[in-house]
């Protein structure tokens, strides 16, 4: 057993002649918060989509917890212990906050949820899970509110909360602070570093202060490939990273 | 909402449906009309599972209705099936047809899904038209029997009188109504709502959405097949119009006019359309124009259907009783 929970090998995705992802060897160590950053068009989102199964890579492989899931569809990855959140908030807007979380907990059951002959409230474990997550993300007071009526910041928190319901080993967070106001960002920062104690977290993020304060490991991507990898301090001082962010026109 | 309330499936709208089923034959001009309403309410119920709870607009409901009617009729005529076995046969055929149509149609979403169900509907019609040796073609399948209710050869009731048949249909309706509520409040049903609300997210949290949509189709087809069989027994005749696109449209219109948010809406929608048809067709042969106007009015002014309209009226009534109405709630009721 090695201590990498997720490993990609030569992962690439081409659209015709354009390589959105060149050849990426990403290794995520168990129990860490691993952030992927990079300027626009660096391939962060493409990499993320390959990991979640939304896109099938054109080359390379993805190994998660010892299993190869390069070609597994998104819904099957949940049962293996992988869970994701969305950059653009994607909730069940007309359902209550608790029901959003309960459904997310039920999702881990996969096809067992096809059962139509007994009441969903008989499945106490899903309700308990929902209530437990409500506590963790501090939304208990809003449990019966429609998800669509929450503030944007609260919706972002629920977004992350839903990805917790399936008891994932690895959490994939796609720009968790996307669109959040400056006042709400500390809430998300606290939440993610709290999650990092129990799960392995891989996230894509633009907010540098958040990235530098919570990450154990940072991967900087540039033009579809990994440019630099290291701890926050290493990455902060790296000349290549500065150059990638400022653009190469100045050199 | 429906999915969050943990009320028993025997409370709430179930007694309301039971009262409606008991009162209908007393107030309506004929028992046959009441029977017809219940039969179409079953078809609308099946359609509501797809449209209201899964968000799938299917023009294939006529296939399952007509298929069920033919299956029951043919099994009774050629194989001497009894009442219950003929209904079982219709249910299975309805479910199988729905599995076939569903399996192919759910490969696409949105408008393409709708077009696929439409294409299947046309195909089924021409198939029934062509196989006139079996279906009677344009003339319909004549002399469909209405056997007595028997279990293991013991006769429980003779259903030749329209009252007795109504009683049987009513009992079956209540059974299926309760079953449909069980489905909606099950893990499966709540997942259907999740798929309706946000299919991408439903898939991301672990649900294989195509399996859920397919099962929704199968259950809907089974219920609609039973409705078709009962209709053939009611008329002693299985007309070709059962499997026409027009039938799919009618079932959809009933479901939408009644309201897709609640199963009681399906009963209300079927009742409204069947009664409108019965009353208006004797006055004016072009009564369908009025039906069109009614549909436009409901869609524009009562997006939640007649049942939704009644619910918001009741809400407003309750508010006017309380001394200080909540302005936010009032606004919601108006919208």
């Amino acid at each position: 057993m090695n201590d990498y929970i997720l490993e990609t090998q030569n992962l690439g995705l081409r659209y015709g002649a354009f390589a959105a992802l060149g050849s990426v060897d990403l290794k995520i160590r168990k129990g860490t918060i691993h952030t992927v950053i990079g300027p626009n068009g660096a391939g962060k989102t493409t990499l993320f989509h390959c990991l979640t199964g939304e896109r099938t890579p054109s080359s390379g492989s993805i190994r998660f917890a010892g299993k190869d899931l390069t070609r597994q569809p998104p819904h099957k990855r949940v049962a293996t212990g992988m869970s994701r959140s969305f950059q653009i908030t994607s909730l069940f807007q007309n359902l209550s906050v608790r029901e959003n979380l309960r459904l997310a907990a039920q999702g881990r059951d996969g096809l067992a949820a096809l059962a139509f002959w007994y009441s969903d409230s008989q499945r106490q474990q899903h309700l308990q899970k929902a209530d437990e997550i409500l506590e963790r993300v501090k939304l208990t007071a809003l449990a019966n509110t429609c998800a669509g009526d929450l503030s944007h910041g609260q919706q972002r928190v629920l977004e992350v909360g839903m990805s917790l319901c399936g008891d994932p080993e690895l959490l994939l967070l796609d720009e968790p602070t996307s669109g959040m106001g400056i006042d709400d960002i500390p809430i998300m920062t606290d939440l993610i570093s709290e999650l990092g104690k129990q799960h392995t977290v891989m996230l894509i993020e633009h907010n540098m202060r958040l990235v530098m304060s919570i990450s154990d490991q940072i991967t900087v991507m540039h033009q579809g490939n990994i440019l630099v990898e290291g701890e926050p301090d290493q990455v902060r001082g790296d000349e290549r990273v500065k150059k990638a962010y400022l653009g190469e026109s100045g050199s | 909402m429906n999915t969050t309330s943990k009320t028993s499936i025997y409370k709430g709208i179930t007694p309301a449906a039971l009262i409606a089923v008991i009162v209908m034959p007393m107030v309506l001009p004929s028992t046959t009309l009441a029977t017809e309403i219940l039969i179409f309410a079953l078809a609308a119920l099946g359609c509501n599972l797809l449209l209201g709870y899964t968000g799938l607009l299917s023009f294939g409901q006529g296939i399952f209705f007509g298929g069920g009617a033919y299956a029951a009729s043919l099994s009774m005529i050629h194989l001497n099936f009894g009442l219950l076995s003929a209904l079982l046969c219709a249910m299975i055929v309805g479910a199988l047809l729905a599995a076939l149509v569903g399996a192919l149609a759910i490969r696409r979403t949105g408008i393409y899904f709708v077009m696929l169900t439409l294409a299947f509907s046309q195909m089924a019609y021409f198939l029934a038209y062509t196989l006139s040796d079996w279906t009677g073609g344009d003339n319909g399948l004549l002399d469909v029997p209405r056997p007595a209710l028997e279990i293991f050869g013991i006769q429980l009731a003779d259903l030749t009188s329209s009252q007795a048949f109504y009683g049987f249909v009513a009992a079956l309706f209540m059974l299926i109504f309760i079953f449909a509520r069980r489905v909606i409040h099950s893990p499966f049903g709540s997942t259907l709502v999740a798929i309706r609300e946000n299919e991408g997210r439903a898939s991301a949290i672990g649900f294989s959405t195509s399996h859920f949509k397919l099962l929704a189709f199968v259950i809907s087809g089974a219920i609609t097949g039973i409705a078709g069989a009962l209709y053939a027994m009611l008329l002693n005749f299985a007309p070709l119009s059962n499997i026409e696109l027009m039938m799919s449209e009618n079932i959809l219109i009933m479901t939408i006019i009644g309201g897709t948010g609640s199963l009681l809406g399906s009963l209300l929608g079927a009742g409204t359309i069947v009664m409108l048809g019965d009353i208006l067709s004797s006055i004016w042969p072009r009564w369908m124009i009025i039906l069109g106007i009614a549909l436009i009015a409901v869609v524009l002014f009562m997006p939640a259907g007649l049942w939704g309209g009644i619910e918001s009226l009741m809400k407003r009534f309750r508010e006017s009783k309380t001394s200080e109405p909540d302005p936010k709630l009032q606004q919601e009721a108006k919208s």
Side-chain angles (χ1 to χ4, degrees):
Chain A
M1 245 340 259
N2 59 32
D3 54 351
Y4 292 116
I5 186 161
L6 184 94
E7 277 178 273
T8 72
Q9 230 168 28
N10 300 325
L11 198 67
L13 180 60
R14 311 188 144 267
Y15 296 107
F18 173 69
L21 219 52
S23 172
V24 175
D25 294 308
L26 182 74
K27 286 186 166 74
I28 294 175
R29 202 181 290 274
K30 214 172 200 162
T32 58
I33 298 181
H34 193 130
T35 312
V36 175
I37 60 170
N40 284 331
K44 305 180 297 287
T45 304
T46 310
L47 172 65
F48 194 86
H49 284 165
C50 286
L51 296 182
T52 59
E54 261 173 296
R55 297 268 182 283
T56 311
S58 38
S59 61
S61 67
I62 302 167
R63 281 184 77 77
F64 172 69
K67 287 176 292 254
D68 181 35
L69 39 73
T70 316
R71 284 171 202 289
Q72 257 188 8
H75 64 262
K76 284 201 177 149
R77 301 191 183 202
V78 176
T80 64
M82 191 190 258
S83 184
R84 68 165 300 189
S85 78
F86 288 78
Q87 178 186 357
I88 297 163
T89 311
S90 178
L91 307 169
F92 304 118
Q93 298 277 344
N94 296 319
L95 306 181
S96 72
V97 172
R98 179 181 279 124
E99 179 68 3
N100 267 271
L101 293 168
R102 194 194 65 77
L103 281 166
Q106 191 174 276
R108 180 84 193 238
D109 284 4
L111 292 180
L114 280 171
F116 57 82
W117 49 87
Y118 59 77
S119 169
D120 51 14
S121 49
Q122 263 181 27
R123 286 277 132 136
Q124 282 299 327
Q125 70 268 38
H126 297 144
L127 276 171
Q128 279 162 10
K129 188 82 210 169
D131 286 338
E132 179 198 321
I133 301 295
L134 277 171
E135 285 290 330
R136 269 177 85 179
V137 300
K138 302 186 177 66
L139 287 175
T140 308
L142 296 162
N144 296 317
T145 313
C146 256
D149 292 340
L150 297 179
S151 74
H152 183 75
Q154 289 161 341
Q155 291 196 7
R156 293 306 300 168
V157 170
L158 178 59
E159 175 70 49
V160 173
M162 281 177 77
S163 60
L164 290 175
C165 289
D167 282 327
E169 284 178 66
L170 174 67
L171 265 174
L172 302 166
L173 306 179
D174 193 356
E175 294 195 32
T177 65
S178 156
M180 272 180 112
I182 194 94
D183 299 330
D184 289 336
I185 288 181
I187 301 174
M188 188 58 84
T189 313
D190 292 346
L191 179 61
I192 296 172
S193 51
E194 185 66 33
L195 297 179
K197 291 174 191 161
Q198 289 173 40
H199 309 268
T200 310
V201 183
M202 181 268 192
L203 68 153
I204 295 181
E205 186 51 64
H206 279 302
N207 186 306
M208 278 307 151
R209 194 184 302 170
L210 180 143
V211 170
M212 291 302 166
S213 64
I214 63 170
S215 306
D216 298 309
Q217 191 79 6
I218 296 176
T219 298
V220 187
M221 288 192 68
H222 186 50
Q223 293 179 344
N225 284 299
I226 292 177
L227 184 68
V228 179
E229 207 162 26
E231 285 170 18
D233 288 334
Q234 283 171 283
V235 170
R236 206 196 311 258
D238 197 291
E239 278 304 315
R240 290 169 294 176
V241 176
K242 282 182 189 161
K243 211 162 147 190
Y245 267 92
L246 293 172
E248 275 146 312
S249 54
S251 62
Chain B
M1 287 276 320
N2 292 304
T3 46
T4 46
S5 67
K6 299 295 172 210
T7 50
S8 158
I9 53 165
Y10 303 105
K11 290 180 190 147
I13 61 169
T14 305
L18 187 63
I19 292 167
V21 163
I22 294 169
V23 171
M24 267 203 315
M26 299 180 199
V27 293
L28 290 179
S30 82
T31 326
T32 312
L33 187 66
T35 316
E36 201 180 332
I37 289 176
L38 283 191
I39 290 171
F40 280 103
L42 277 179
L45 208 70
C47 184
N48 204 354
L49 280 178
L50 283 181
L51 182 63
Y53 293 90
T54 325
L56 293 171
L57 177 70
S58 152
F59 276 98
Q61 302 308 103
I63 308 173
F64 319 142
F65 192 88
Y70 286 132
S73 308
L74 290 171
S75 66
M76 287 189 294
I77 294 170
H78 297 289
L79 303 168
N80 269 324
F81 272 29
L83 182 75
L84 292 180
S85 38
L87 284 174
L88 190 68
C89 177
M91 184 180 98
I92 292 168
V93 167
L96 286 177
L97 286 171
L100 185 73
V101 173
L104 291 167
I106 57 171
R107 287 164 179 267
R108 291 287 171 268
T109 53
I111 192 82
Y112 301 102
F113 164 82
V114 178
M115 293 307 288
L116 279 170
T117 63
L118 207 59
F120 273 112
S121 182
Q122 289 291 42
M123 264 171 53
Y125 168 74
F126 282 106
L127 196 65
Y129 185 80
T130 316
L131 296 173
S132 54
D133 288 349
W134 289 96
T135 63
D138 233 352
N139 299 324
L141 191 56
L142 304 173
D143 300 322
V144 175
R146 192 195 290 172
L149 176 60
E150 281 180 352
I151 295 177
F152 302 121
I154 304 158
Q155 184 172 330
L156 298 178
D158 178 34
L159 301 179
T160 16
S161 80
S162 60
Q163 283 84 0
F165 190 60
Y166 179 81
F168 175 69
V169 172
L172 205 56
F173 174 82
M174 284 315 297
L175 217 65
I176 294 175
F177 189 85
I178 291 167
F179 168 75
R181 288 199 76 193
R182 166 46 63 237
V183 170
I184 287 164
H185 295 285
S186 69
F188 171 67
S190 61
T191 309
L192 290 186
V193 174
I195 292 171
R196 180 193 72 194
E197 287 289 308
N198 185 343
E199 191 170 348
R201 186 73 201 220
S203 172
I205 55 179
F207 297 115
S208 167
T209 55
S210 54
H211 284 91
F212 287 82
K213 287 195 218 169
L214 185 61
L215 184 58
F217 249 101
V218 168
I219 293 176
S220 173
I223 295 175
T224 314
I226 293 175
L230 290 173
Y231 196 51
M233 291 173 190
L234 174 73
L235 302 178
N236 292 119
F237 168 53
L240 186 63
S241 65
N242 274 353
I243 206 163
E244 253 179 355
L245 185 56
M246 186 72 185
M247 181 57 78
S248 300
E249 285 171 12
N250 267 334
I251 294 172
L252 273 172
I253 290 173
M254 286 172 191
T255 314
I256 293 168
I257 283 193
T260 49
S262 160
L263 291 182
L264 211 50
S266 300
L267 179 57
L268 197 63
T272 310
I273 302 297
V274 173
M275 273 200 302
L276 266 181
D278 188 67
I279 299 164
L280 295 176
S281 63
S282 57
I283 306 170
W284 189 34
R286 298 274 171 270
W287 67 278
M288 291 294 274
I289 295 175
I290 298 179
L291 184 63
I293 296 170
L295 180 65
I296 293 169
V298 165
V299 171
L300 283 181
F301 304 112
M302 274 192 261
L306 288 175
W307 178 246
I310 290 174
E311 268 186 331
S312 69
L313 270 179
M314 290 197 302
K315 206 177 183 184
R316 222 183 285 190
F317 179 69
R318 261 187 240 128
E319 268 160 31
S320 64
K321 276 177 136 182
T322 55
S323 51
E324 271 184 74
D326 180 356
K328 200 190 162 207
L329 277 175
Q330 232 174 12
Q331 218 171 13
E332 268 172 20
K334 269 179 208 156
S335 63

